[in-house]
Amino acid sequence: MNPVRAGASHKAFSLDRIAAIASNTLTELTRLKVFYVLLLFACVLIGSSVLMARLSFQQEFQVLKDISLGAMSIFTSLLAIVATARMLPQDTEDRIVYTILAKPVPRFEYLLGKLLGVLLLLAISTLIMSALFLALLYSREHAALAATNRQMAGLPQEQLHAALQSIRDSTFNPDLLPGISVIFLKACLLASLTIFISTFATSQIFTVVVTVFVYFIGHLQGTAREFWLQGHSAGWLARTFLAVVALLFPDLQLFNLADEVVAGAAIPLAIFLKTAALGAFYTVIYLLFATAIFSAKEL
Amino acid sequence: MIEAAVVVTGVTKTFPVPFKRRSVLAVRDLSLRVDAGQVYGLLGPNGSGKSTTLKIILGLVAPTRGKAEIFARDSTEVASREAVGFLPENPYFPKYLTGAETLRFYGKLCGLSSRALTKKIQELLELVGLTSAGDRRLGGYSKGMLQRIGLAQALVNEPRLVVLDEPTAGVDPVGSREIRDLILDLKKRGITVLLSSHLLDQVQEVCDRVGILANGELVSEGAVNELLAVENQTEVVFEAGSEELTRQIEALINTAGGRLIDCRKSRKTLERLFLDVTLK
Amino acid sequence: MKRFLLVLAATLLFGSVKLPAEHALFAARSELRLHGVPMDLSLREQIGQLGFIAALSGFRSLIADFLFIQAHVAWERTEWSRVLLLFRQVTTLQPRGVLFWDMAAWHMGWNASVSVFNDKSQPRLALRIKAQREYWDLARDFLERGIKNNPDQPKLYEALGRLYREKYKDHARASESFAKTAEQPGAPSYAKRFTLYELSYCEGREQEAYERLLQLYNADENERLPTLISRLKLLEEKLNIPLAERIPDRAH
C-alpha cells in the first residue's frame, strides 16, 4: 500500500482502458434486458407468417424478407438511440462518471468506450436477428421445396429442376448480407449521433426526441439535397431551408439498401464499400464532435 | 518545506444560468494548500462550494479563474489523476457487479494488469473489511459497505492523495466510525486525505487541518487544535470526587483570582452510547 | 449559447464536406436504379399521410408489401379497379420489385381481361371486347414500365412476350420480346426457342426463321424438342426445301 506508482508515466491512449469501459457498458446494457427487443423481433417474424397464408411462395419470401429486414432496421435503430441516450445522464446521476474521470482516463476514451459498448450490443443483436431470420428463411425454403417436389412428382426432371431452382433463387440471396451490414452501420451512425446530442442535451427525453427527429429528417435529406443542388426552388427562403437541411442532417436513405436487395437488385461491391465508408465516416465525426463538447463540459 | 499535495491558487468559479445574463458564483478567489501526509477537512453548509472546489481540484470542472495543482501537476492534465483516488458523494455503483468486479473495473482504468489486480483486490477488500463480501453483488450491500467499496475503489491505483466528498453521508454511526478508522489508517500509511463534510464533530476527530467555506469563500482556515482552543480557559476532569472536593477547588480558583464558569457531571456523547450499545 | 452556435457551425462545416460524397453516392446509385423512388406529392395523395410518412422513414418496402397483400384480397373479390389502383401504388413504392410488375400485369392481362369479357351484365359484345383490350393494354403498360425500371430482368420481357403471343396474337412483337429475354443474364433456355417459334409465324420472315431454327437444331442435340422439329418441318414444306437438305423424320 505504499505509494510506489507515483510518477509512473501516463499513457495518453490506452486500449485496455477503452476495453474496460466498453465491456462494462455492454454488461450494463445486457442487464437492462435490452435483448427483449430480440424476442419482439422473433414475434414479428412469427406473426408475419399469418399474413402469408394466402400468398404464393415467391410472394411469401419477398414479404418475409421485407418484414424481417424492415423490423431489423427499426429495432437496431431504436436500440441504438434508446440505449445510448440514457448512458451519459445515468452515469452522471449515479456519479459513476466522476469516479471514472477521476482516474487517469481522458474524456475521449470514456466516450469511445461507451460508444464501443453500444456498438458491440448492436453487433450482437444484428447477428442474432440475422440468424433467426436466415433460419426461418431456410426452413420456409425447405418446406417450399418439399411441397414442390410433391406437387410436381410426375413431371419431367427439367421442369422440376427449374421450379426448384426458382424457389432457391427467391429465398437466399448473397446480397442480403451487405444489406444487413448497412442496416448495422446505420444503427452505429445513430448511436454516435445520440452520444453527440446527449453531450449537450439537458435530459434523456430531449436526446431521444431530437435523435428521432433527425432520424425522420435524415430520410428526407436526400430529396431536399438533390432538390437544392438542382436549383429548382425559386424563393431564397426555400433554398436556404433546403440547404440547411442538406448540410445539417445525414442522408439516412443511403443506408437503405435492403429494399432494393429484396426486390432482386444486385449491389455492386463499390457501392457497398462507399456506403460503408460513409457510415463509418459519420460515426467517427459524430464521436469527435461529442468529444469536443464533452471535454469542455462541467460535470 | 513539506511537499504540497494540493495547491489551489486564486480560484473563482461561476456557472452561467441558461437564458439569463447573470451567472451563479460558486467559489470566489479561493486559495488553499494541503501538505502531503495531512488529513484536511473542507467544511461548510450545503451549497457553500465544497463539491465544486473538490471537482476543480480533480479536473472535473474547469475554474473560471485561477488554477489547482496536485503534486505540482495542473489539475486539467489527465496525468495529474495518476496520484489521486476519489470517492464522490453517494455514488451508485452498478448493482449487478460484485465488490471484486467493481474493483477490477477501476483497476483496469488505472492500467493495472489482470495479475497484479487479483492480488491488489484481495488486499483492498481486506483493508476495507469486505473480504467475505467480495463475491457478492453490490445490490445486496449496506450503505456503509457501499461507501467502503467506494473507498477501496479510490485506493486501487495506490494514490498519494485521496479525495472524499461527504464520505459518511447517509451512513449509520457504526459505518461512519469504520470509515473514520480507515481514514486514520490511510494517514498512518502516509496518504494525504482531503475530505468535505458538514458533520463537524467527525471532522474534528480525524482532521489535522480544516478550512471553512461559506458562500464560496474560505472564511476560516487552520490546524484543528488551534482553531478550537478557547483562549484562557482550562477544563479539569476527575473521577470519584466528592461534593466537598468540588467546593474546595472552587474556593481555590477564587483565591487565585480565576473564575469558575461551569461545573457539571461528565456525560458521554450520544454517539459513544450508541456504539457501546450496538457493538456489544 | 455560444457553445450551441459553435456546434451548429461545426456541423454545417462538416455538412459542406460530406455533401459532395453523399451526392456522388446518390448519383452512382441512381444510375444503377438503386435508389427507390423520388418522393413526390402525388404519391402522398395515393398512399395517404400515414403511409407516406412510413415510406419516408425507410419502410417503403413494407408498405409496398402491405398494399400488395391488399391487392391480393381485392383480386379474390374480383374488384378489378381496386386491384389496378393498389398495384400502381405498389409499383411506385418499389419499382425494383420484379415480382410486383409481373403480378400486376398478370392480374390485368390474364384475370381482369377474362373476367370483363365474360361479364354477362354487359350485354354488348363490342363493349366487352373493348374492356378486355383495355386490360391487355394495362398489362402491357405495367410490363413496359417494369422493364424500364429493371432492364436486366428476363422475367418481365418473357411476360411481355407471352402477353403478345397469347393475348394480342402479335407474333412479331412476341418474338422480339422473347429475343430480349434471351439476351438477359439468367434467361431461361427456352427463350431462344420461343423467339424462333414466334418468328416462324410471321408472314414473310419464314426463311430467316428456318435458317436460325436449323442452326439451333444443329448446334445442340438438347434443343431438338418436338415443337422445334414440327416447326422446322412445317417451314421446310412452306419454303420447299429440297428433300436432301431436310432434317430426318425422327430425332435420334
Side-chain angles (χ1 to χ4, degrees):
Chain A
M1 275 308 292
N2 292 322
V4 284
R5 284 187 68 259
S9 69
H10 176 251
K11 271 203 272 180
F13 183 83
S14 154
L15 285 176
D16 286 344
R17 288 195 295 249
I18 296 168
I21 296 173
S23 72
N24 199 49
T25 307
L26 181 63
T27 320
E28 188 188 341
L29 290 170
T30 318
R31 292 277 162 175
L32 285 171
K33 315 218 158 55
V34 287
F35 284 118
Y36 276 140
V37 166
L38 301 180
L39 217 61
L40 204 63
F41 177 73
C43 291
V44 168
L45 288 193
I46 294 161
S48 68
S49 57
V50 176
L51 282 176
M52 298 172 197
R54 48 171 97 229
L55 297 178
S56 78
F57 67 81
Q58 265 179 335
Q59 298 161 0
E60 176 192 323
F61 292 142
Q62 162 136 16
V63 174
L64 173 66
K65 284 192 270 188
D66 274 336
I67 290 184
S68 306
L69 294 175
M72 228 187 260
S73 167
I74 187 77
F75 287 154
T76 50
S77 297
L78 268 181
L79 201 56
I81 294 173
V82 175
T84 316
R86 66 177 294 286
M87 281 189 327
L88 296 190
Q90 192 67 43
D91 265 12
T92 312
E93 194 175 311
D94 291 348
R95 299 178 190 81
I96 296 300
V97 68
Y98 303 132
T99 57
I100 292 175
L101 293 178
K103 302 283 181 221
V105 178
R107 294 193 179 188
F108 170 68
E109 285 183 11
Y110 171 74
L111 287 185
L112 179 60
K114 286 271 153 193
L115 180 63
L116 285 180
V118 176
L119 298 196
L120 268 173
L121 174 85
L122 292 175
I124 293 169
S125 310
T126 308
L127 281 178
I128 294 176
M129 284 195 252
S130 307
L132 285 174
F133 160 56
L134 292 176
L136 182 62
L137 196 61
Y138 183 77
S139 83
R140 296 302 304 153
E141 176 182 337
H142 260 245
L145 288 174
T148 310
N149 260 322
R150 237 180 298 119
Q151 285 162 4
M152 301 182 74
L155 295 169
Q157 279 295 308
E158 196 195 4
Q159 279 183 41
L160 179 64
H161 271 291
L164 294 180
Q165 192 53 47
S166 87
I167 292 180
R168 288 196 193 97
D169 288 346
S170 58
T171 50
F172 181 74
N173 164 3
D175 275 321
L176 282 173
L177 299 181
I180 292 174
S181 320
V182 170
I183 289 178
F184 168 67
L185 276 166
K186 180 164 117 176
C188 294
L189 181 161
L190 285 170
S192 188
L193 175 72
T194 311
I195 273 208
F196 169 42
I197 292 171
S198 74
T199 52
F200 59 85
T202 43
S203 71
Q204 193 178 331
I205 298 290
F206 177 88
T207 308
V208 171
V209 168
V210 171
T211 320
V212 168
F213 177 73
V214 175
Y215 178 87
F216 280 104
I217 302 285
H219 281 94
L220 276 171
Q221 190 263 13
T223 312
R225 183 194 59 228
E226 295 310 310
F227 215 67
W228 175 53
L229 289 177
Q230 287 160 17
H232 277 322
S233 189
W236 66 268
L237 196 67
R239 266 213 310 279
T240 314
F241 174 72
L242 290 176
V244 167
V245 168
L247 291 170
L248 216 49
F249 295 88
D251 185 351
L252 294 178
Q253 196 61 51
L254 285 177
F255 297 94
N256 192 3
L257 280 174
D259 280 357
E260 268 59 50
V261 170
V262 173
I267 307 296
L269 188 64
I271 295 278
F272 168 65
L273 290 180
K274 276 182 198 161
T275 310
L278 190 69
F281 180 57
Y282 269 122
T283 309
V284 171
I285 286 290
Y286 286 136
L287 181 66
L288 291 181
F289 279 5
T291 309
I293 295 183
F294 190 65
S295 295
K297 195 179 164 92
E298 319 268 20
L299 290 168
Chain B
M1 191 177 158
I2 303 167
E3 187 188 13
V6 177
V7 177
V8 176
T9 330
V11 161
T12 297
K13 178 68 197 176
T14 54
F15 289 107
V17 179
F19 309 115
K20 293 209 177 126
R21 279 185 168 275
R22 63 187 183 78
S23 50
V24 169
L25 188 78
V27 176
R28 188 204 305 267
D29 196 26
L30 178 90
S31 296
L32 63 83
R33 176 191 158 97
V34 179
D35 286 335
Q38 262 184 348
V39 178
Y40 191 103
L42 212 49
L43 302 177
N46 292 329
S48 58
K50 295 187 307 268
S51 285
T52 306
T53 308
L54 294 187
K55 282 178 183 174
I56 288 173
I57 291 169
L58 290 162
L60 294 173
V61 166
T64 313
R65 267 196 306 281
K67 69 169 183 172
E69 286 176 332
I70 295 174
F71 293 110
R73 291 186 102 144
D74 198 298
S75 285
T76 52
E77 283 176 45
V78 175
S80 73
R81 254 98 71 206
E82 287 268 305
V84 188
F86 176 51
L87 173 63
E89 183 183 356
N90 287 329
Y92 292 90
F93 297 109
K95 286 194 176 62
Y96 49 83
L97 292 182
T98 66
E101 282 166 349
T102 307
L103 296 183
R104 183 166 294 275
F105 169 62
Y106 286 102
K108 289 230 171 96
L109 293 185
C110 297
L112 299 184
S113 68
S114 290
R115 195 195 291 176
L117 260 174
T118 310
K119 196 163 152 269
K120 185 88 212 162
I121 289 168
Q122 283 314 313
E123 236 177 87
L124 286 170
L125 287 173
E126 204 174 312
L127 178 75
V128 299
L130 289 172
T131 311
S132 57
D135 292 328
R136 270 164 45 198
R137 297 195 189 288
L138 298 191
Y141 275 31
S142 72
K143 182 81 200 164
M145 290 163 87
L146 282 175
Q147 266 330 77
R148 277 184 283 153
I149 204 76
L151 194 57
Q153 161 279 125
L155 296 171
V156 75
N157 55 335
E158 300 186 0
R160 301 170 66 196
L161 168 71
V162 178
V163 179
L164 310 171
D165 194 1
E166 302 280 1
T168 55
V171 180
D172 66 31
V174 184
S176 84
R177 160 67 66 191
E178 282 163 351
I179 289 167
R180 226 175 319 171
D181 292 344
L182 275 170
I183 292 171
L184 292 173
D185 198 28
L186 293 179
K187 186 189 170 185
K188 249 184 257 157
R189 291 163 191 264
I191 298 172
T192 315
V193 179
L194 171 60
L195 61 90
S196 80
S197 182
H198 58 266
L199 301 175
L200 307 181
D201 48 349
Q202 287 185 1
V203 173
Q204 187 184 339
E205 266 187 69
V206 294
C207 292
D208 302 316
R209 221 178 149 75
V210 292
I212 300 175
L213 277 172
N215 296 321
E217 281 183 279
L218 195 63
V219 288
S220 178
E221 213 236 2
V224 174
N225 291 337
E226 292 165 22
L227 284 181
L228 295 186
V230 180
E231 287 285 312
N232 210 16
Q233 283 188 16
T234 309
E235 285 180 25
V236 180
V237 179
F238 55 90
E239 209 171 28
S242 61
E243 293 249 335
E244 177 56 31
L245 180 57
T246 318
R247 258 197 306 277
Q248 283 175 9
I249 290 172
E250 190 179 353
L252 197 59
I253 291 171
N254 285 333
T255 34
R259 189 169 68 90
L260 181 70
I261 296 172
D262 193 9
C263 178
R264 62 174 172 231
K265 278 255 176 262
S266 277
R267 307 167 62 162
K268 52 180 160 188
T269 58
L270 194 54
E271 188 198 353
R272 194 66 250 167
L273 173 70
F274 182 91
L275 291 175
D276 286 348
V277 177
T278 53
L279 287 180
K280 259 175 201 154
Chain C
M1 198 61 194
K2 203 165 81 188
R3 184 163 318 139
F4 174 76
L5 289 176
L6 222 66
V7 170
L8 199 68
T11 316
L12 286 175
L13 195 72
F14 162 62
S16 62
V17 175
K18 57 106 182 168
L19 198 71
E22 276 179 355
H23 177 67
L25 187 56
F26 175 84
R29 284 173 55 165
S30 300
E31 208 163 289
L32 293 161
R33 280 168 302 274
L34 283 177
H35 212 270
V37 270
M39 289 292 159
D40 57 22
L41 292 180
S42 69
L43 181 67
R44 198 184 94 180
E45 276 163 24
Q46 281 181 37
I47 61 176
Q49 193 75 11
L50 204 66
F52 189 65
I53 289 173
L56 284 180
S57 32
F59 299 99
R60 207 156 40 78
S61 278
L62 274 181
I63 307 276
D65 287 333
F66 179 69
L67 295 173
F68 174 64
I69 290 168
Q70 283 194 324
H72 201 88
V73 175
W75 168 53
E76 287 172 342
R77 296 186 188 150
T78 63
E79 298 168 13
W80 299 116
S81 49
R82 194 166 148 71
V83 173
L84 171 64
L85 182 75
L86 285 166
F87 267 113
R88 284 209 168 128
Q89 296 169 5
V90 169
T91 50
T92 312
L93 279 171
Q94 186 42 291
R96 293 305 302 255
V98 172
L99 181 73
F100 293 148
W101 294 110
D102 191 24
M103 290 300 291
W106 181 69
H107 281 310
M108 296 298 112
W110 304 77
N111 296 328
S113 67
V114 173
S115 171
V116 293
F117 184 72
N118 293 332
D119 182 7
K120 293 293 182 277
S121 69
Q122 172 53 264
R124 290 178 60 190
L125 181 63
L127 285 182
R128 297 213 306 262
I129 290 176
K130 180 170 175 285
Q132 180 194 34
R133 293 205 68 103
E134 276 170 2
Y135 275 111
W136 291 352
D137 290 349
L138 285 169
R140 192 184 57 192
D141 180 56
F142 269 121
L143 290 173
E144 283 172 353
R145 282 193 292 134
I147 286 169
K148 213 179 272 175
N149 280 291
N150 305 276
D152 53 357
Q153 294 285 341
K155 200 168 187 168
L156 295 176
Y157 293 104
E158 185 188 334
L160 189 60
R162 285 180 196 274
L163 187 73
Y164 279 128
R165 184 178 71 187
E166 308 287 329
K167 299 296 177 184
Y168 287 102
K169 313 281 184 209
D170 183 338
H171 299 296
R173 288 230 168 88
S175 175
E176 232 172 81
S177 295
F178 285 130
K180 283 263 178 55
T181 313
E183 286 169 18
Q184 307 311 322
S189 58
Y190 51 75
K192 235 186 255 174
R193 293 198 297 274
F194 282 8
T195 312
L196 301 184
Y197 295 167
E198 290 309 299
L199 196 62
S200 71
Y201 289 110
C202 293
E203 292 288 333
R205 298 183 69 177
E206 290 87 350
Q207 184 63 38
E208 184 194 349
Y210 169 73
E211 282 164 18
R212 288 174 56 189
L213 274 172
L214 191 62
Q215 207 179 0
L216 205 57
Y217 177 90
N218 289 330
D220 190 349
E221 287 219 13
N222 289 332
E223 299 281 4
R224 296 178 190 178
L225 295 169
T227 316
L228 186 127
I229 292 168
S230 76
R231 289 314 300 168
L232 261 179
K233 286 195 174 296
L234 251 145
L235 288 171
E236 282 169 348
E237 282 298 324
K238 216 169 180 178
L239 296 168
N240 289 319
I241 304 294
L243 278 176
E245 291 172 28
R246 296 190 179 188
I247 58 168
D249 268 355
R250 296 233 60 83
H252 301 293

Short mmCIF file of all heavy atoms in Angstrom, two decimals, chain C residues 81-99:
data_model
loop_
_atom_site.label_atom_id
_atom_site.label_comp_id
_atom_site.label_asym_id
_atom_site.label_seq_id
_atom_site.Cartn_x
_atom_site.Cartn_y
_atom_site.Cartn_z
N SER C 81 -60.85 -2.64 -60.43
CA SER C 81 -60.31 -1.28 -60.41
C SER C 81 -59.46 -1.06 -59.17
O SER C 81 -58.46 -0.35 -59.18
CB SER C 81 -61.43 -0.26 -60.48
OG SER C 81 -62.42 -0.56 -59.53
N ARG C 82 -59.85 -1.73 -58.08
CA ARG C 82 -59.07 -1.63 -56.85
C ARG C 82 -57.72 -2.35 -56.99
O ARG C 82 -56.68 -1.85 -56.55
CB ARG C 82 -59.87 -2.24 -55.70
CG ARG C 82 -59.33 -1.88 -54.36
CD ARG C 82 -60.32 -2.21 -53.24
NE ARG C 82 -59.57 -2.57 -52.03
CZ ARG C 82 -58.89 -1.69 -51.30
NH1 ARG C 82 -58.88 -0.43 -51.64
NH2 ARG C 82 -58.24 -2.09 -50.24
N VAL C 83 -57.77 -3.50 -57.66
CA VAL C 83 -56.50 -4.22 -57.90
C VAL C 83 -55.56 -3.31 -58.68
O VAL C 83 -54.37 -3.18 -58.35
CB VAL C 83 -56.77 -5.53 -58.69
CG1 VAL C 83 -55.46 -6.18 -59.08
CG2 VAL C 83 -57.63 -6.47 -57.89
N LEU C 84 -56.10 -2.66 -59.71
CA LEU C 84 -55.28 -1.78 -60.54
C LEU C 84 -54.67 -0.64 -59.71
O LEU C 84 -53.46 -0.40 -59.75
CB LEU C 84 -56.14 -1.20 -61.68
CG LEU C 84 -55.48 -0.11 -62.51
CD1 LEU C 84 -54.27 -0.66 -63.24
CD2 LEU C 84 -56.47 0.50 -63.50
N LEU C 85 -55.53 0.00 -58.92
CA LEU C 85 -55.07 1.14 -58.11
C LEU C 85 -53.96 0.70 -57.15
O LEU C 85 -52.91 1.35 -57.04
CB LEU C 85 -56.26 1.70 -57.33
CG LEU C 85 -55.94 2.92 -56.46
CD1 LEU C 85 -55.80 4.14 -57.35
CD2 LEU C 85 -57.01 3.13 -55.40
N LEU C 86 -54.21 -0.42 -56.47
CA LEU C 86 -53.23 -0.88 -55.48
C LEU C 86 -51.91 -1.25 -56.14
O LEU C 86 -50.83 -0.93 -55.62
CB LEU C 86 -53.80 -2.06 -54.70
CG LEU C 86 -54.87 -1.67 -53.67
CD1 LEU C 86 -55.64 -2.90 -53.18
CD2 LEU C 86 -54.22 -0.96 -52.49
N PHE C 87 -51.99 -1.89 -57.29
CA PHE C 87 -50.73 -2.27 -57.96
C PHE C 87 -49.97 -1.05 -58.46
O PHE C 87 -48.75 -1.06 -58.50
CB PHE C 87 -50.98 -3.27 -59.08
CG PHE C 87 -50.85 -4.69 -58.61
CD1 PHE C 87 -51.95 -5.52 -58.56
CD2 PHE C 87 -49.62 -5.16 -58.19
CE1 PHE C 87 -51.83 -6.83 -58.10
CE2 PHE C 87 -49.50 -6.46 -57.73
CZ PHE C 87 -50.60 -7.30 -57.69
N ARG C 88 -50.70 -0.01 -58.83
CA ARG C 88 -50.00 1.22 -59.22
C ARG C 88 -49.21 1.76 -58.05
O ARG C 88 -48.08 2.20 -58.19
CB ARG C 88 -51.01 2.26 -59.70
CG ARG C 88 -51.52 1.94 -61.08
CD ARG C 88 -51.92 3.21 -61.82
NE ARG C 88 -52.12 2.90 -63.23
CZ ARG C 88 -53.22 3.22 -63.90
NH1 ARG C 88 -54.18 3.90 -63.31
NH2 ARG C 88 -53.33 2.91 -65.17
N GLN C 89 -49.83 1.73 -56.87
CA GLN C 89 -49.13 2.22 -55.68
C GLN C 89 -47.94 1.33 -55.33
O GLN C 89 -46.85 1.80 -55.02
CB GLN C 89 -50.09 2.28 -54.49
CG GLN C 89 -51.21 3.27 -54.69
CD GLN C 89 -52.29 3.13 -53.65
OE1 GLN C 89 -52.16 2.36 -52.71
NE2 GLN C 89 -53.36 3.88 -53.81
N VAL C 90 -48.19 0.02 -55.39
CA VAL C 90 -47.13 -0.93 -55.03
C VAL C 90 -45.91 -0.71 -55.92
O VAL C 90 -44.78 -0.62 -55.46
CB VAL C 90 -47.64 -2.38 -55.17
CG1 VAL C 90 -46.48 -3.36 -55.06
CG2 VAL C 90 -48.67 -2.67 -54.10
N THR C 91 -46.18 -0.61 -57.24
CA THR C 91 -45.04 -0.50 -58.16
C THR C 91 -44.37 0.87 -58.06
O THR C 91 -43.18 1.00 -58.33
CB THR C 91 -45.46 -0.76 -59.61
OG1 THR C 91 -46.61 0.05 -59.89
CG2 THR C 91 -45.80 -2.22 -59.82
N THR C 92 -45.13 1.89 -57.65
CA THR C 92 -44.50 3.19 -57.44
C THR C 92 -43.56 3.13 -56.23
O THR C 92 -42.46 3.67 -56.24
CB THR C 92 -45.55 4.28 -57.18
OG1 THR C 92 -46.56 4.15 -58.17
CG2 THR C 92 -44.94 5.65 -57.24
N LEU C 93 -44.04 2.46 -55.19
CA LEU C 93 -43.25 2.38 -53.96
C LEU C 93 -42.01 1.52 -54.14
O LEU C 93 -40.95 1.81 -53.59
CB LEU C 93 -44.10 1.82 -52.82
CG LEU C 93 -45.02 2.80 -52.14
CD1 LEU C 93 -45.94 2.07 -51.18
CD2 LEU C 93 -44.21 3.84 -51.38
N GLN C 94 -42.14 0.45 -54.87
CA GLN C 94 -40.99 -0.45 -55.01
C GLN C 94 -40.80 -0.82 -56.48
O GLN C 94 -41.11 -1.92 -56.89
CB GLN C 94 -41.20 -1.70 -54.13
CG GLN C 94 -40.01 -2.65 -54.09
CD GLN C 94 -38.68 -1.96 -53.97
OE1 GLN C 94 -38.21 -1.30 -54.89
NE2 GLN C 94 -38.05 -2.09 -52.82
N PRO C 95 -40.27 0.12 -57.26
CA PRO C 95 -40.13 -0.14 -58.70
C PRO C 95 -39.09 -1.22 -59.02
O PRO C 95 -39.03 -1.69 -60.15
CB PRO C 95 -39.72 1.22 -59.27
CG PRO C 95 -39.22 2.01 -58.13
CD PRO C 95 -39.83 1.46 -56.89
N ARG C 96 -38.28 -1.60 -58.03
CA ARG C 96 -37.33 -2.67 -58.31
C ARG C 96 -37.94 -4.05 -58.05
O ARG C 96 -37.28 -5.06 -58.19
CB ARG C 96 -36.08 -2.52 -57.43
CG ARG C 96 -35.23 -1.31 -57.74
CD ARG C 96 -34.81 -1.25 -59.20
NE ARG C 96 -34.08 -2.40 -59.65
CZ ARG C 96 -32.77 -2.43 -59.86
NH1 ARG C 96 -32.06 -1.37 -59.65
NH2 ARG C 96 -32.18 -3.53 -60.28
N GLY C 97 -39.19 -4.09 -57.65
CA GLY C 97 -39.82 -5.36 -57.36
C GLY C 97 -40.36 -6.01 -58.63
O GLY C 97 -41.49 -5.77 -59.04
N VAL C 98 -39.55 -6.85 -59.24
CA VAL C 98 -39.95 -7.52 -60.49
C VAL C 98 -41.24 -8.30 -60.28
O VAL C 98 -42.15 -8.29 -61.12
CB VAL C 98 -38.81 -8.45 -60.95
CG1 VAL C 98 -39.25 -9.29 -62.12
CG2 VAL C 98 -37.58 -7.62 -61.29
N LEU C 99 -41.29 -8.94 -59.11
CA LEU C 99 -42.48 -9.73 -58.79
C LEU C 99 -43.75 -8.88 -58.87
O LEU C 99 -44.79 -9.32 -59.35
CB LEU C 99 -42.29 -10.29 -57.38
CG LEU C 99 -43.39 -11.18 -56.82
CD1 LEU C 99 -43.34 -12.53 -57.51
CD2 LEU C 99 -43.22 -11.34 -55.32
#
